[in-house]
Amino acid sequence: MNEYNPQEFEKRWQDTWENNGLNRTDIKSEKEKFYALVMFPYPSGTIHVGHVKNYVIGDVVARYKRHKGFNVLNPFGFDSFGLPAENAAIANNIHPGIWTRKNVETITKQIKKLGISYDWEKQVSTCEEDYYRWTQYIFLKLYENGLAYRKNAAVNWCPKCNTVLANEQVKDGCCERCGSVVELRQLEQWFFKITDYAERLLEDLDGLDEWPEHVKTMQRNWIGKSKGAEVRFEIDGENKTLEVFTTRPDTLWGVTFMALAPESPLVQELTADDRKEEVEEFLEKMTKEDRFTRASEEAEKEGVFLGKYAVNPVNGEKIPIYVANYILMEYGTGAIMAVPAHDQRDFDFARKYGIPINVVIEDPENPGSSDQMLKPFTGTGIMVNSGKFSGMPSDQSLAKVIQWLEEKQLGKSSIQYKLRDWLISRQRYWGAPIPMIYCEECGMVPVSENDLPVKLPHDVNFDSSGKSPLTTNGSFLNATCPKCGGKARREVDTMDTFVDSSWYYLRYINPKDENKPFETEDVNRWLPVDQYIGGVEHAILHLLYSRFLTKVLYDLKLIDFKEPFKNLFTQGMIYKDGFKMSKSKGNVVSPDEMVEEYGADTLRVYSLFIGPPEKDAEWTDSGIEGVHRFIKRIWTSFQVIIESANANSLGEHKTAKADKELRRKLHWMIEKITRDIEVDFHFNTAISGMMEMSNELHRYLNEIPREEWDMGLLGEVIEKFSVILSPFAPHLAEEIWSLSGKSGLVVEQKWPEVDPAALEVDEVEIIIQVNGKLRDKISVGKGENRDTLESIAMSSENVQRHLEGKIPRKVIVIPDKLVNIVL
Ligand code: ANZ
Ligand code: ZN
């Protein structure tokens, strides 16, 4: 018998699929489409088995859908701009382009060895001119429509990476990448106006039924919609006002101080002369603190009295104005009315500075005086000390208080979002240049569409300053103005790589189109993506940016759908030795070594069997060994059958019961795996199903004499099991298919149908009653006659107990269903 030797046949089948164009997708075909998509990787070196899991899940879906008759698009590409390439360039003196393209090549080779059925002709790589030209085009479209703008803003600046960072790239006040302390700088930056879409981004989440709930929750929280009111406070003795945003207008009677963000321009205006020094000192200290940690719930509350007072419009009370560390300039109005009795941060602040705490909402469980309060009451209750609103339940009064404020012209209802505009400019070289020109005469002028791409110059010097080489590259910098033809200079900032990845799924449809980013008609037919698969770490930004861009393109009538991804699946990470697999932890397992040792199919199946795909899982050597034994067992069983069939040892057919069992298991497996893939995405249990089937087959082959094998049945097993196996272990499936003499390729076969008759069981459960009451349930052979059923029923211990020695008056028997003993 042939040994299982995947190294001998895996490459052969990969070549066969490739040469026959089986992974290539005819975009124009009339067949029903299915768009399977995995999040494309950043090519930072080589991939490890953690990445493999993502690609294998996607491949199982794609291959399965092909068996189901769909015209499947399963593309792959590279998110290939970004800072690591540039850092590697500086560290190793190698050009980012060369470094990146080498990695792309390596990873492509690694993936090809796994037999992932990508249509390589559709590949995109965001750092190539034929891609980033269209990223620039999309930028221009946003600019033309007022959705891209430049403004001076306080931004996070990493002095070591020499670039601005997005808020989420700052961890505990330090650069996520290099750990340097992040500074706040005022800089001219480019933004996309995603805030214009906040409400739609929120609303349309409701229609994404096939998205995991936790991802939608994360997006909702990120968008952070709050309903409340803006309230105007007069400044005591001055002709000035201070506006605040509050979600709790019902607590207005309990305001005992006001607080401003340190960055608020009002701080200067509202500081009394004798407080200037102390306030300046505080502001100076604040510039050194990161805004996010500063405002966190746990951070120590700090502030300084400005020496002036506001007047509470509802009761005329004078309330001191402070500048405080926990107020953010970017949210609401950058100023708050503070209600220490009912807000934790205000409470902490008030306790620290001896500010009064006035209860205006009574805690139903703990009515008491504010002086004894150990913590604020943040729930809802009955309003007290609140003028004409006293006695009202606070939750019901919100709208009434707002209405009252509006009538008195003291405020108005207001909605705020946490979402900020998307800062897209980066002071780096390795990214898509922002297509803008600054003319001495005409000011800022967009590059004309026909002049795209604005090419990234290849010959650049990375000097030790760490500054982007674009800032010193004369041939890049100097431009002529598209408007007046005069002397001008180019924008030196490049785009955040999230811009590149916010539209790549559209480019896959016609990746080689030289005249436009995508063909509207094709894209409308192929999108939304039917199944998107990727890491949960992209649950917020990448998905939000892609959704935003889709809506913009929809509004520009370039596409006719509003959401890019119909189904989303987020897979768990692979751990090794207790840590997330990563190069920096030194615990990576290379797929190349696994393929060499066990073959691609074992690696594929183990990545799925390792645990529920949405959960994190620990990689173990014994785990992959176990899967390898399973794969070899399938191989061996099929070898035995194939040899037997060749020997033509068709025997007389005596073992009907065992045959039935085997056939039932086969169809049970088909049903189970179809459901596991289609409905539940439970690839691990799908594989357990195959293991059960394989055990059943093994038992059959071992326990039944060869002459009694039902070769017709074993033929069916080979035929159907190979197709079921094919999405998971496609090389093995193909090899078995071919060795068993079948024509064509297994990847071209239809997914097997379940035969319901095969699933039928020969046993039925009979209900046994005494005087119509259920007393027992007994399994019996189907079609058992009345007499036998009666005597089986009478012999039940439980029945005997309920008979209490009496003789039954009548016994009613309904075959295959019920026996009722009537006393
Ligand atoms: C008075 C009040 C009383 C508040 C109370 C809360 C509880 P969300 O839900 O996150 O929208 N706030 C407003 N602007 C702020 C800023 N720029 N920086 C820090 N805090 C700010 O929170 C809204 C609440 O956060 C607002 O309602 C305001 O405090 C505070 F018992 O006003 B509240
Ligand atoms: Zn000009």
Side-chain angles (χ1 to χ4, degrees):
M1 186 174 42
N2 292 330
E3 286 281 306
Y4 176 60
N5 184 6
Q7 286 72 18
E8 187 273 318
F9 59 77
E10 287 187 344
K11 174 86 174 56
R12 176 154 49 76
W13 290 116
Q14 288 159 13
D15 292 343
T16 307
W17 300 323
E18 192 56 36
N19 297 337
N20 289 287
L22 291 168
N23 302 332
R24 290 200 278 282
T25 311
D26 173 8
I27 291 300
K28 301 283 185 192
S29 152
E30 291 296 313
K31 251 187 2 179
E32 194 179 348
K33 66 97 185 180
F34 188 92
Y35 188 172
L37 182 67
V38 294
M39 290 180 186
F40 65 168
Y42 177 75
S44 67
T46 52
I47 54 165
H48 57 65
V49 294
H51 305 104
V52 169
K53 178 175 162 186
N54 187 352
Y55 309 146
V56 172
I57 293 174
D59 199 43
V60 169
V61 174
R63 286 176 177 272
Y64 167 76
K65 290 289 177 182
R66 287 199 195 97
H67 287 295
K68 290 293 268 185
F70 288 88
N71 183 27
V72 173
L73 174 62
N74 189 26
F76 196 70
F78 295 92
D79 189 10
S80 49
F81 269 139
L83 199 49
E86 209 166 325
N87 290 344
I90 296 164
N92 309 322
N93 203 15
I94 174 173
H95 192 278
I98 296 174
W99 184 84
T100 302
R101 292 187 188 99
K102 191 179 80 159
N103 292 343
V104 163
E105 200 180 306
T106 311
I107 295 174
T108 305
K109 269 194 207 138
Q110 285 186 293
I111 291 181
K112 285 189 171 172
K113 277 195 230 166
L114 301 172
I116 311 272
S117 63
Y118 292 133
D119 179 350
W120 290 101
E121 288 188 355
K122 303 252 172 356
Q123 183 186 315
V124 303
S125 181
T126 59
C127 74
E128 302 300 341
E129 266 171 50
D130 63 356
Y131 185 88
Y132 74 68
R133 161 181 192 173
W134 302 113
T135 306
Q136 293 173 336
Y137 171 94
I138 287 172
F139 175 94
L140 290 179
K141 288 285 160 222
L142 270 85
Y143 180 75
E144 279 165 26
N145 289 280
L147 293 167
Y149 67 93
R150 206 165 105 104
K151 79 162 183 206
N152 196 285
V155 292
N156 310 301
W157 177 264
C158 172
K160 187 141 174 250
C161 295
N162 258 295
T163 185
V164 299
L165 302 174
N167 292 348
E168 47 287 340
Q169 291 170 318
V170 180
K171 294 276 135 72
D172 299 326
C174 295
C175 172
E176 175 190 53
R177 203 153 250 131
C178 74
S180 321
V181 175
V182 170
E183 302 165 3
L184 208 59
R185 281 204 189 172
Q186 284 295 132
L187 289 171
E188 285 282 325
Q189 295 293 323
W190 282 97
F191 294 85
F192 281 170
K193 228 172 177 181
I194 192 171
T195 52
D196 272 11
Y197 286 75
E199 190 58 36
R200 285 163 69 188
L201 287 166
L202 195 62
E203 258 172 28
D204 289 350
L205 284 173
D206 295 339
L208 296 175
D209 301 332
E210 309 292 334
W211 277 39
E213 215 39 62
H214 66 274
V215 172
K216 289 194 273 186
T217 303
M218 283 194 265
Q219 294 224 345
R220 282 193 190 103
N221 293 343
W222 187 261
I223 296 168
K225 180 178 181 174
S226 285
K227 287 189 196 157
E230 271 171 52
V231 187
R232 211 169 34 252
F233 287 70
E234 302 283 332
I235 305 301
D236 184 42
E238 288 184 39
N239 198 8
K240 283 180 186 157
T241 56
L242 176 56
E243 292 215 7
V244 300
F245 170 70
T246 177
T247 48
R248 295 291 305 274
D250 55 318
T251 63
L252 203 47
W253 286 262
V255 177
T256 55
F257 69 99
M258 311 289 286
L260 302 178
E263 297 83 6
S264 170
L266 288 176
V267 173
Q268 313 296 340
E269 251 183 73
L270 297 179
T271 301
D273 290 341
D274 60 338
R275 305 289 304 156
K276 285 221 150 75
E277 210 169 306
E278 204 179 328
V279 169
E280 272 314 316
E281 209 174 289
F282 179 73
L283 295 184
E284 176 63 27
K285 184 174 165 202
M286 286 300 114
T287 57
K288 298 202 179 72
E289 281 183 26
D290 145 54
R291 289 172 284 171
F292 307 98
T293 355
R294 195 183 85 192
S296 74
E297 202 69 46
E298 307 79 49
E300 170 84 18
K301 305 288 164 289
E302 274 186 286
V304 175
F305 177 44
L306 298 185
K308 296 205 178 171
Y309 295 85
V311 181
N312 191 336
V314 299
N315 56 17
E317 273 174 28
K318 266 172 64 171
I319 35 190
I321 307 172
Y322 283 75
V323 53
N325 65 342
Y326 66 100
I327 313 303
L328 293 172
M329 189 55 216
E330 297 77 28
Y331 190 60
T333 63
I336 68 156
M337 58 180 231
V339 187
H342 304 295
D343 180 272
Q344 184 68 51
R345 296 187 296 180
D346 299 347
F347 182 86
D348 296 343
F349 193 91
R351 274 274 185 266
K352 179 162 175 180
Y353 295 105
I355 302 168
I357 297 174
N358 295 349
V359 171
V360 290
I361 312 286
E362 190 147 85
D363 180 354
E365 317 226 300
N366 191 19
S369 114
S370 42
D371 295 337
Q372 289 149 21
M373 264 187 147
L374 293 175
K375 58 179 176 40
F377 172 59
T378 56
T380 54
I382 301 297
M383 289 174 76
V384 294
N385 305 322
S386 299
K388 68 167 188 165
F389 290 94
S390 297
M392 242 189 230
S394 62
D395 47 348
Q396 290 166 30
S397 73
L398 277 176
K400 292 196 182 104
V401 174
I402 292 175
Q403 198 191 349
W404 180 76
L405 286 170
E406 282 176 352
E407 278 163 16
K408 300 227 145 193
Q409 299 195 328
L410 295 171
K412 55 175 197 287
S413 82
S414 165
I415 290 175
Q416 296 289 327
Y417 299 91
K418 293 262 148 62
L419 185 67
R420 298 279 75 108
D421 276 342
W422 175 10
L423 199 177
I424 62 129
S425 44
R426 296 289 180 273
Q427 292 66 52
R428 304 304 320 169
Y429 163 72
W430 194 237
I434 293 176
M436 278 290 172
I437 286 177
Y438 302 96
C439 168
E440 286 166 8
E441 295 296 317
C442 319
M444 192 162 78
V445 185
V447 173
S448 110
E449 262 171 40
N450 302 326
D451 292 339
L452 297 181
V454 174
K455 287 190 195 171
L456 207 51
H458 182 81
D459 292 318
V460 285
N461 294 318
F462 292 94
D463 61 27
S464 54
S465 77
K467 259 189 154 175
S468 160
L470 293 181
T471 58
T472 51
N473 189 293
S475 60
F476 177 79
L477 275 176
N478 299 322
T480 45
C481 170
K483 256 197 198 159
C484 71
K487 231 176 103 191
R489 128 192 105 70
R490 260 181 218 293
E491 170 63 82
V492 291
D493 284 357
T494 54
M495 283 184 247
D496 177 10
T497 57
F498 275 121
V499 181
D500 307 331
S501 59
S502 67
W503 74 281
Y504 76 113
Y505 48 91
L506 301 172
R507 184 67 182 168
Y508 276 144
I509 310 297
N510 321 86
K512 299 201 176 104
D513 195 326
E514 289 178 2
N515 302 312
K516 44 194 164 339
F518 49 80
E519 177 71 54
T520 294
E521 189 190 322
D522 293 337
V523 162
N524 283 346
R525 208 163 67 79
W526 276 90
L527 281 107
V529 168
D530 294 283
Q531 181 67 61
Y532 197 22
I533 298 167
V536 76
E537 65 277 17
H538 297 297
I540 300 175
L541 296 182
H542 162 61
L543 292 172
L544 199 64
Y545 295 150
S546 302
R547 296 181 59 225
F548 161 63
L549 200 91
T550 299
K551 290 178 197 306
V552 171
L553 296 174
Y554 173 86
D555 289 348
L556 300 180
K557 305 204 162 48
L558 292 171
I559 55 178
D560 72 356
F561 50 95
K562 297 179 191 171
E563 285 289 336
F565 314 121
K566 187 158 162 275
N567 281 266
L568 173 69
F569 182 80
T570 52
Q571 93 275 1
M573 305 240 215
I574 300 249
Y575 280 63
K576 175 107 198 297
D577 312 323
F579 295 99
K580 252 181 232 165
M581 202 172 273
S582 87
K583 219 183 285 169
S584 59
K585 281 266 179 302
N587 60 348
V588 294
V589 175
S590 153
D592 307 270
E593 281 166 31
M594 293 298 110
V595 168
E596 211 160 285
E597 191 163 350
Y598 302 106
D601 286 333
T602 296
L603 173 57
R604 290 174 62 111
V605 172
Y606 180 52
S607 343
L608 299 169
F609 189 61
I610 194 163
E614 70 279 10
K615 296 259 162 63
D616 293 341
E618 171 84 19
W619 180 278
T620 64
D621 295 338
S622 60
I624 193 163
E625 283 286 348
V627 165
H628 193 53
R629 278 195 300 278
F630 157 63
I631 294 277
K632 283 195 291 196
R633 174 175 268 202
I634 295 185
W635 169 262
T636 309
S637 296
F638 282 118
Q639 290 306 304
V640 169
I641 302 171
I642 290 165
E643 279 169 20
S644 214
N646 292 344
N648 212 1
S649 62
L650 201 89
E652 199 186 325
H653 188 198
K654 291 178 200 148
T655 46
K657 186 151 189 278
D659 294 342
K660 263 198 175 149
E661 282 299 312
L662 182 61
R663 186 152 192 274
R664 176 158 63 236
K665 200 79 207 182
L666 176 67
H667 285 267
W668 168 85
M669 173 185 74
I670 297 171
E671 187 183 48
K672 174 178 172 52
I673 291 180
T674 309
R675 189 168 11 91
D676 281 342
I677 299 178
E678 188 102 41
V679 186
D680 304 323
F681 246 64
H682 285 168
F683 305 109
N684 55 328
T685 60
I687 288 160
S688 321
M690 276 188 264
M691 288 175 169
E692 272 192 50
M693 171 61 197
S694 162
N695 289 344
E696 188 72 33
L697 180 61
H698 188 76
R699 195 153 48 234
Y700 185 95
L701 298 176
N702 278 284
E703 288 174 6
I704 304 206
R706 197 168 277 233
E707 319 79 68
E708 296 180 20
W709 290 354
D710 180 339
M711 293 314 288
L713 171 60
L714 291 177
E716 185 187 352
V717 169
I718 291 203
E719 186 171 319
K720 296 187 174 155
F721 201 165
S722 335
V723 181
I724 293 283
L725 196 58
S726 144
F728 302 89
H731 313 85
L732 172 61
E734 207 68 87
E735 187 71 5
I736 292 169
W737 187 265
S738 128
L739 288 177
S740 65
K742 300 204 181 301
S743 61
L745 294 167
V746 79
V747 294
E748 296 174 304
Q749 306 307 311
K750 283 202 70 179
W751 192 251
E753 297 283 334
V754 178
D755 175 5
L759 295 177
E760 258 172 37
V761 256
D762 293 340
E763 305 245 298
V764 285
E765 196 168 70
I766 302 279
I767 287 174
I768 306 197
Q769 300 173 325
V770 177
N771 280 345
K773 285 215 180 92
L774 176 68
R775 294 304 177 200
D776 208 351
K777 287 178 178 175
I778 300 179
S779 276
V780 301
K782 214 172 168 180
E784 209 60 84
N785 66 36
R786 283 162 191 274
D787 289 348
T788 320
L789 290 178
E790 185 174 332
S791 61
I792 289 173
M794 292 302 288
S795 63
S796 151
E797 246 176 65
N798 218 17
V799 167
Q800 281 301 326
R801 208 147 34 80
H802 284 94
L803 289 183
E804 294 164 338
K806 292 180 199 140
I807 310 286
R809 200 155 53 86
K810 195 163 74 177
V811 178
I812 305 163
V813 178
I814 307 174
D816 291 342
K817 289 230 165 72
L818 163 146
V819 179
N820 186 10
I821 301 159
V822 184
L823 296 178

